[in-house]
Amino acid sequence: LMNLAAAERAREEAEQEAINKVSMSNMARAEVEQEARKLRELFVQGETRWQRATELAEALATKLQSAETKLSEETQKRLMDVKIAEKGSRQIAQARDEARATAGARR
């Protein structure tokens, strides 16, 4: 009878130990799953931020290209204005020289 009681106690202790191990295992699994969820959230946030940064960089590159094009066009216009002004200046100088020559020939 003593052996039977001891065996029953041993069985109950083993059963309780198994329950405790399963409980600890379940708690550990829940913690791991929670950490995995956090990591997935961080990954999604990181992906979203990366996507936004990429979009901003592309928009900035487009604006920069547009500004460079506009600057180039403005520079070309200014160069044409300078060339026209130089040509006009030469024509004025030539006309002045011709007028002086004509006035000098009359005297």
Side-chain angles (χ1 to χ4, degrees):
L1 200 60
M2 286 288 243
N3 282 344
L4 191 57
E8 181 63 25
R9 259 195 323 279
R11 186 192 60 78
E12 286 174 358
E13 287 173 6
E15 201 173 85
Q16 189 59 46
E17 193 176 319
I19 289 170
N20 289 344
K21 285 183 179 178
V22 167
S23 178
M24 287 172 51
S25 174
N26 286 341
M27 286 179 10
R29 181 183 300 120
E31 287 177 14
V32 167
E33 287 172 352
Q34 184 178 7
E35 288 301 313
R37 276 192 299 277
K38 286 180 186 176
L39 284 173
R40 276 193 295 274
E41 275 181 38
L42 289 174
F43 178 76
V44 168
Q45 288 174 3
E47 250 186 351
T48 302
R49 287 183 179 145
W50 180 257
Q51 180 65 32
R52 182 70 181 128
T54 302
E55 290 168 1
L56 289 173
E58 288 170 353
L60 200 56
T62 300
K63 285 182 180 179
L64 180 59
Q65 183 65 42
S66 175
E68 287 175 344
T69 300
K70 189 172 183 178
L71 180 61
S72 178
E73 290 170 356
E74 287 295 319
T75 301
Q76 290 301 317
K77 286 180 187 174
R78 296 291 181 263
L79 284 174
M80 288 302 295
D81 290 347
V82 167
K83 287 179 181 177
I84 290 169
E86 286 174 347
K87 185 177 180 182
S89 211
R90 282 193 306 271
Q91 288 174 344
I92 290 170
Q94 185 180 356
R96 185 186 61 230
D97 292 346
E98 289 173 3
R100 283 185 184 155
T102 304
R106 288 187 189 149
R107 290 185 197 159

